[in-house]
Amino acid sequence: MIEKLREKSQTVLLKPSIRVLYLRKLRDSVKHHREEIISALKEDIGKSDYEGFMTEYATVMQELNFFINNTLKLARTKNASFDLLTFPNKTEIRNRAFGVCLIISPWNYPFNLSMIPVIDAIAAGNSVYLMMSRKNPRIRELMKEVLKPVEDIVHLENDRSYDEVLEEKFDFYFFTGSKNRGQAVYKKAAENLKPCVLELGGKSPCIVDKDVDLEDVAKKICWAKFTNSGQTCVAVDYLVVEESIKDRLLHYILKEIDENYSDISEMSRIKTRAKYDEFRKIMMDRTDRIGGKYHDDEMIIEPCVFTDVTFNDEIMKDEIFGPLLPVISYTDIDAMLMHIRRMDNPLAFYVFTKDKKLCDYITNSVGFGGGCINDCMMHISNNKAPFGGFGNSGLGHYHGKWGFDTFSHKQSVYVSRKIDNPFRFKPFTDKKLNLMKKFLG
């Protein structure tokens, strides 16, 4: 199977116009299965129709439309800028596909996080070996139908385990998921000396200064924390609030939860019983809990806020990945930033403030994948900008043009014409040397 896919990349997909035809077929198929996709997301995860459409279907369509309109332009060979050492000849920059890309996607956004890297890889001329999480049987089964028009260049693996698949040799590795499994993929890519992109996660902080519209901040924080019940890699993991406005902000957060995040029919399930039980234990062990009503049969936990957390608490050790929101207050900005820097690099970083100098100081003090100022999660919505991790939260990036570049090897090719630069050939005379010193320093 892998050799057949590699052959497609080396022959059929060499032509960008053919890639666009495949992407058009894929878009038609996604459109045709729209209602089934949204229904499958609800069945597997419990996502509401609105959330499934907005966070999964719509983002995939945006990526497909971008590449259908831009692949031919992105794939063009470009000339490198003028250079005295190579004048009068030219250097071309060509986009070369890697071959067969292994794409491993997670369970939390199974359609979005499978399809977008697949689209990027196809646009760059690669074929794809796709592995989806077994935790979503309905959407995984439906993907067979969605991918049928492109099944000769995209193989959806349904039978083999991760370990079995990783024994194969791929030309590119793309992984979204947990740090532990990501390390295994990275190790295998290193053994095969192949490029690798890792989209992991981490404890993404949200810092709130005192000079902000607290009602607006509360609305944005709740959306970024409780969408998909917090099971989002760029969700707000914890809140760090200037002490003087903490109680007022909590008032608006709890008001927003009560008004817009209390209907369990619109809440995603906690994906595994083990994680559900872990969250219940965390809630039972704390006395500063507000909310967090749980529903054992549905495995749903309503939004829960912990009001008096410190950086040393147990809940601050690992990424939460659920609807639990720790709130930490601060008075000394430098002491607070020191605590954040001691932790692993977060995938996302959010700051609410009207003070530009303070904002620049905060965002320049911490390494992170991407983020927002006076908002949350919206940085991943614009596919004209790169999305990716930093340090422990991942490496590499994708979305739009950045995905095309990630899945393309930039190949430089020097093209010699009839006229050549005489200075590179012997005899090496003093006259030549003095002229080079004059022009090249």
Side-chain angles (χ1 to χ4, degrees):
M1 172 55 67
I2 293 174
E3 285 308 314
K4 288 181 180 178
L5 290 172
R6 188 170 287 117
E7 178 66 23
K8 289 288 185 179
S9 179
Q10 293 172 349
T11 54
V12 175
L13 293 175
L14 282 176
K15 291 184 177 180
S17 57
I18 299 297
R19 304 173 205 169
V20 174
L21 289 177
Y22 275 110
L23 292 172
R24 287 184 184 278
K25 290 179 183 178
L26 191 53
R27 182 176 64 179
D28 290 343
S29 182
V30 170
K31 279 185 176 181
H32 177 73
H33 291 93
R34 183 184 68 185
E35 299 308 317
E36 293 172 89
I37 291 165
I38 293 170
S39 175
L41 291 168
K42 189 175 188 68
E43 185 177 329
D44 279 339
I45 305 173
K47 290 190 180 186
S48 68
D49 291 354
Y50 192 93
E51 190 173 309
F53 180 88
M54 180 176 67
T55 66
E56 304 242 21
Y57 177 86
T59 55
V60 169
M61 288 301 295
Q62 176 181 252
E63 196 80 353
L64 279 164
N65 288 329
F66 174 85
F67 277 114
I68 287 168
N69 294 327
N70 292 283
T71 293
L72 297 181
K73 180 175 69 175
L74 290 169
R76 285 181 196 144
T77 295
K78 299 175 179 63
N79 291 332
S81 301
F82 171 81
D83 180 76
L84 277 174
L85 288 173
T86 58
F87 178 80
N89 300 311
K90 69 173 182 177
T91 302
E92 294 179 346
I93 303 171
R94 301 176 182 177
N95 296 289
R96 175 92 183 191
F98 287 104
V100 184
C101 300
L102 173 64
I103 294 175
I104 300 176
S105 64
W107 58 263
N108 57 326
Y109 289 84
F111 188 66
N112 178 332
L113 297 178
S114 297
M115 288 293 291
I116 289 184
V118 166
I119 293 162
D120 294 3
I122 293 172
N126 301 278
S127 52
V128 175
Y129 195 105
L130 175 63
M131 290 201 73
M132 297 179 67
S133 171
R134 296 180 186 275
K135 293 176 182 176
N136 300 311
R138 180 71 187 91
I139 192 71
R140 200 159 167 258
E141 188 65 27
L142 180 59
M143 281 290 281
K144 293 179 186 177
E145 296 301 313
V146 173
L147 294 171
K148 189 164 281 188
V150 296
E151 62 184 359
D152 57 327
I153 61 167
V154 180
H155 171 71
L156 176 60
E157 179 54 61
N158 280 309
D159 301 318
R160 304 169 76 191
S161 69
Y162 281 108
D163 292 337
E164 288 177 308
V165 169
L166 285 177
E167 288 305 311
E168 302 281 1
K169 290 187 177 182
F170 297 93
D171 304 304
F172 192 99
Y173 295 76
F174 189 103
F175 172 83
T176 305
S178 68
K179 181 180 175 181
N180 289 341
R181 195 176 288 278
Q183 287 174 325
V185 174
Y186 198 20
K187 181 179 179 182
K188 190 57 65 173
E191 287 176 4
N192 294 327
L193 296 177
K194 299 299 182 183
C196 181
V197 168
L198 301 176
E199 298 297 344
L200 309 176
K203 294 188 74 65
S204 297
C206 178
I207 300 171
V208 183
D209 187 26
K210 58 188 175 184
D211 63 340
V212 292
D213 180 341
L214 295 178
E215 191 169 9
D216 177 69
V217 171
K219 181 183 295 186
K220 290 172 178 175
I221 287 171
C222 287
W223 175 75
K225 179 61 179 178
F226 303 122
T227 292
N228 200 27
S229 290
Q231 299 169 125
T232 305
C233 60
V234 290
V236 172
D237 188 272
Y238 62 99
L239 198 55
V240 186
V241 186
E242 209 280 334
E243 190 172 79
S244 66
I245 53 105
K246 174 186 169 184
D247 290 342
R248 285 186 293 142
L249 179 59
L250 281 172
H251 165 76
Y252 284 113
I253 287 174
L254 296 174
K255 180 173 179 284
E256 178 69 15
I257 290 172
D258 183 60
E259 291 178 356
N260 294 309
Y261 296 89
S262 57
D263 183 354
I264 68 167
S265 70
E266 294 183 350
M267 296 179 192
S268 299
R269 292 188 295 277
I270 304 306
K271 194 56 184 172
T272 66
R273 177 62 65 176
K275 197 69 178 175
Y276 176 84
D277 291 340
E278 179 187 326
F279 288 153
R280 276 196 55 180
K281 183 177 186 307
I282 291 172
M283 292 190 296
M284 295 303 101
D285 288 345
R286 295 197 65 96
T287 59
D288 61 338
R289 169 172 63 103
I290 300 177
K293 186 178 179 181
Y294 49 86
H295 306 266
D296 289 343
D297 291 341
E298 298 88 349
M299 287 210 303
I300 289 173
I301 294 177
E302 297 183 27
C304 181
V305 179
F306 302 114
T307 60
D308 295 302
V309 179
T310 73
F311 281 99
N312 296 320
D313 288 359
E314 191 71 24
I315 197 171
M316 292 301 296
K317 290 185 178 179
D318 297 305
E319 181 180 10
I320 295 169
F321 217 68
L324 314 185
L325 179 62
V327 180
I328 300 172
S329 62
Y330 74 92
T331 54
D332 184 336
I333 190 75
D334 290 306
M336 179 267 290
L337 289 172
M338 181 183 67
H339 280 294
I340 292 176
R341 284 195 297 269
R342 285 175 178 168
M343 303 167 77
D344 288 345
N345 302 115
L347 181 58
F349 193 77
Y350 308 119
V351 180
F352 286 89
T353 182
K354 292 180 181 176
D355 186 334
K356 187 179 185 308
K357 286 186 178 179
L358 177 63
C359 181
D360 290 344
Y361 178 67
I362 291 172
T363 54
N364 290 330
S365 297
V366 178
F368 57 92
C372 299
I373 297 166
N374 296 320
D375 214 323
C376 299
M377 289 209 310
M378 290 303 295
H379 64 295
I380 67 171
S381 300
N382 186 353
N383 71 347
K384 310 298 189 301
F387 169 69
F390 177 82
N392 299 87
S393 60
L395 67 147
H397 42 245
Y398 70 124
H399 287 186
K401 172 192 177 299
W402 304 92
F404 183 91
D405 289 343
T406 286
F407 283 99
S408 302
H409 167 59
K410 302 301 178 185
Q411 191 178 64
S412 62
V413 178
Y414 178 79
V415 182
S416 182
R417 296 167 177 170
K418 289 184 179 180
I419 304 173
D420 220 325
N421 185 339
F423 287 88
R424 68 185 243 235
F425 299 112
K426 289 187 176 184
F428 298 145
T429 65
D430 289 341
K431 182 179 179 180
K432 284 183 179 180
L433 180 58
N434 289 332
L435 282 170
M436 283 197 297
K437 287 179 179 179
K438 181 177 179 179
F439 286 106
L440 300 175

